[in-house]
Amino acid sequence: MAKKAKTIFVCNECGGESSKWAGQCPVCGAWNSMFEEKVIGCKADDKRRRTAGRAAGTDGAGAKAGRPEKLAAVKSGETSRIDTGIGELNRVLGGGLVSGSLTLISGEPGIGKSTIILQAAQHIAKTRGRVLYVSGEESEEQIKMRADRVCRGEISDRLFILAETNIENVSEICRQLEPEFLIVDSIQTMYSVELESAPGSVSQVRICGNELMRIGKSDNIPVFIVAHVTKSGELAGPRIVEHMVDCVLSFTGDRNHELRILRAQKNRFGTTSEIGAFEMAGEGLIEIENLSGVLMEEMATDSEGAVATAVYEGTRPLILEVQALTGFCGAGFPRRTSIGIESSRLAMLIAVLEKRMGLKLDNQDVYVNVVGGIRPEGTFTDLAVALAVYSSNTGRKLDSRTLVLGEVGLTGDLRAVQNADKIIREAERLGFERIVMPVRNARRLKVKPEIDVIGIRNISEVRELFR
């Protein structure tokens, strides 16, 4: 049976409400600004609704009733960013946490998800207020042991831990505690008593995600959700949670090495091109501000198959090393293996090398690797990958003080890339002596650089670069 609509009168100027019509607004005093609006009542405990937050009005049943607002009058969330105390995490989030936002972070076991969240929780507890850490996997003692190591014994009294998997109990604790920041580790372990299915199922993830969304949006609390991944690196279980949240962060790296990379795959409050770099140490994750310098420290001098290149990630240039190895294939089809570069892109570049530069790679295995586990986006690294393969196959070396970048087309022509001026400044800072780029980029430089800039039109012109 349909519920009876309730009639209220809303001011078109200030949004003030009145149960009776009046020629003058009782809030702002404007004349002839009241208009009639019908609101259908709803249950106060309806958890399926996503309310508008503190600005919404209430209906007769006590539930928050949403109504349209002027977009120009809505306050922007950019001014209320929350500092996590971790500069690289703030960079990836777009400047910090947004109040009422839901952030999903995923990664392999042991990669550092819980560590970085605990570091952010400690800072927010010290600077803003109460923080609630809900753990469905670890006990309070296990988290305390990690906190002693990460926080160095200075654990805030406003950081609370709750070992619970029932989402209704979590919601009730949030109502009583009123935290400034909520962490749920992990979403696959949470369940609701309204469903009989096992935790981690599609229905359980959906209803628990909806409840966390209601908590965050209604009470203006930023929520961090931890999720598991499969062996291939994809999000485990139903992917509906990716569509529900505002930001999806991916934590990658090799557990046998210290370098960790944080990247945003989805971000409604910022760009998805930013990356954050960390080093795993005994006292937790340490930020790496000069990532280019770290990646180039171990680059061998004038080595076959090694070429330095650059990409532009978010708001900063990043210098990388591309390595390639070619070897004779005794029988069967030659292998094409790449780490950090798309396999289809590598196959295209090999075809260009065979057609435009006369290389014979039909009986050669080709391996390409971007050092450091970085997976650069875009086509900045095309020319570097091609030259690395050429260097390994011919045995000719490229000077390690030479930086190479540019997109390679099917005709072998080089196409311009963006932010070449900023990449040149980074190359100068790191001590490179020359940079090879498309001729269109070389002609558009606004300031004459201190290093030698070589502009080329076609990939066939690079033979002169090798010794």
Side-chain angles (χ1 to χ4, degrees):
M1 181 177 179
K3 295 185 178 181
K4 184 177 180 181
K6 177 184 177 182
T7 301
I8 62 174
F9 297 91
V10 182
C11 177
N12 194 32
E13 298 293 335
C14 69
E17 299 179 4
S18 175
S19 59
K20 299 180 180 180
W21 184 87
Q24 185 181 20
C25 175
V27 178
C28 66
W31 288 91
N32 300 322
S33 62
M34 306 294 289
F35 66 96
E36 182 180 348
E37 181 178 301
K38 294 185 180 295
V39 179
I40 299 178
C42 61
K43 295 182 179 180
D45 58 349
D46 188 356
K47 299 179 180 180
R48 298 171 297 176
R49 299 181 67 235
R50 172 180 166 177
T51 61
R54 303 179 189 275
T58 57
D59 58 20
K64 296 182 178 179
R67 57 179 176 78
E69 298 183 37
K70 294 181 180 179
L71 182 60
V74 176
K75 183 180 179 182
S76 175
E78 290 296 325
T79 59
S80 58
R81 295 262 185 180
I82 299 175
D83 180 19
T84 64
I86 306 174
E88 292 294 298
L89 178 58
N90 289 339
R91 179 199 296 271
V92 177
L93 291 172
L97 282 172
V98 176
S99 299
S101 63
L102 271 73
T103 302
L104 176 73
I105 182 169
S106 62
E108 296 180 358
I111 205 68
K113 304 184 300 295
S114 301
T115 300
I116 191 173
I117 292 177
L118 192 58
Q119 290 180 234
Q122 167 67 8
H123 177 80
I124 295 175
K126 289 177 60 178
T127 58
R128 294 187 64 92
R130 289 185 289 268
V131 174
L132 178 60
Y133 191 117
V134 180
S135 175
E137 300 177 349
E138 298 178 301
S139 64
E140 294 95 333
E141 291 78 10
Q142 290 174 305
I143 297 176
K144 178 61 166 58
M145 293 173 58
R146 181 185 296 114
D148 288 336
R149 174 175 55 86
V150 172
C151 304
R152 302 178 183 179
E154 299 179 0
I155 303 177
S156 173
D157 292 336
R158 296 187 291 187
L159 178 55
F160 295 84
I161 178 67
L162 173 65
E164 180 60 77
T165 56
N166 183 278
I167 194 64
E168 282 81 13
N169 291 342
V170 173
S171 178
E172 178 61 24
I173 294 296
C174 288
R175 187 187 66 80
Q176 299 174 5
L177 190 63
E178 297 182 353
E180 297 288 334
F181 184 33
L182 173 63
I183 301 166
V184 177
D185 185 5
S186 66
I187 186 67
Q188 279 92 352
T189 62
M190 306 303 293
Y191 76 96
S192 173
V193 295
E194 297 181 6
L195 301 175
E196 297 182 356
S197 56
S201 62
V202 176
S203 55
Q204 287 287 3
V205 170
R206 180 186 292 112
I207 193 171
C208 293
N210 280 331
E211 180 62 17
L212 293 174
M213 182 188 300
R214 186 193 65 80
I215 294 173
K217 303 299 181 183
S218 300
D219 300 329
N220 224 22
I221 302 173
V223 181
F224 246 65
I225 305 173
V226 179
H228 299 158
V229 296
T230 61
K231 292 182 179 180
S232 61
E234 298 292 332
L235 191 67
R239 305 197 64 173
I240 187 173
V241 66
E242 291 186 76
H243 303 282
M244 298 169 59
V245 299
D246 300 307
C247 182
V248 178
L249 303 181
S250 176
F251 217 18
T252 59
D254 189 348
R255 287 189 295 175
N256 298 322
H257 297 83
E258 292 80 12
L259 183 63
R260 302 288 189 269
I261 300 297
L262 183 66
R263 184 187 295 273
Q265 297 179 343
K266 171 187 176 182
N267 193 353
R268 291 174 177 166
F269 306 108
T271 178
T272 57
S273 59
E274 289 282 8
I275 65 171
F278 301 88
E279 179 184 358
M280 178 61 77
E283 62 274 16
L285 291 168
I286 302 174
E287 301 176 57
I288 301 178
E289 297 181 358
N290 185 18
L291 180 58
S292 297
V294 173
L295 294 175
M296 299 303 297
E297 280 180 354
E298 301 180 359
M299 183 175 180
T301 303
D302 300 350
S303 167
E304 290 182 9
V307 177
T309 185
V311 295
Y312 200 81
E313 295 282 357
T315 58
R316 61 179 174 180
L318 184 61
I319 308 298
L320 305 171
E321 179 187 0
V322 176
Q323 295 179 347
L325 176 65
T326 61
F328 179 73
C329 177
F333 294 100
R335 300 185 63 179
R336 305 288 188 254
T337 304
S338 63
I339 301 176
I341 302 295
E342 292 183 3
S343 300
S344 57
R345 198 73 188 173
L346 176 60
M348 185 272 288
L349 294 173
I350 291 175
V352 172
L353 288 172
E354 291 179 331
K355 182 72 174 180
R356 306 302 172 188
M357 299 189 69
L359 292 188
K360 299 297 182 181
L361 299 173
D362 55 345
N363 62 346
Q364 298 284 315
D365 292 331
V366 179
Y367 304 90
V368 174
N369 176 40
V370 179
V371 178
I374 307 295
R375 296 182 178 273
E377 296 182 351
T379 56
F380 284 80
T381 60
D382 280 1
L383 183 58
V385 172
L387 295 191
V389 174
Y390 177 84
S391 172
S392 178
N393 183 255
T394 61
R396 305 174 68 184
K397 301 177 182 179
L398 186 66
D399 185 9
S400 60
R401 295 294 87 192
T402 299
L403 187 70
V404 176
L405 71 151
E407 177 184 352
V408 178
L410 292 177
T411 61
D413 293 333
L414 265 66
R415 300 175 181 174
V417 295
Q418 298 178 348
N419 301 303
D421 295 86
K422 299 178 181 178
I423 292 176
I424 289 177
R425 289 196 293 269
E426 180 72 4
E428 291 175 342
R429 187 182 68 84
L430 293 176
F432 285 90
E433 297 176 357
R434 64 175 177 171
I435 181 169
V436 181
M437 61 175 55
V439 65
R440 292 179 59 186
N441 282 120
R443 291 175 178 176
R444 294 176 182 176
L445 297 179
K446 299 178 181 179
V447 180
K448 185 178 180 180
E450 298 179 0
I451 63 176
D452 186 18
V453 177
I454 302 175
I456 60 176
R457 295 180 180 274
N458 194 281
I459 194 174
S460 60
E461 302 176 16
V462 301
R463 290 188 178 93
E464 300 178 357
L465 302 174
F466 290 87
R467 295 185 298 171

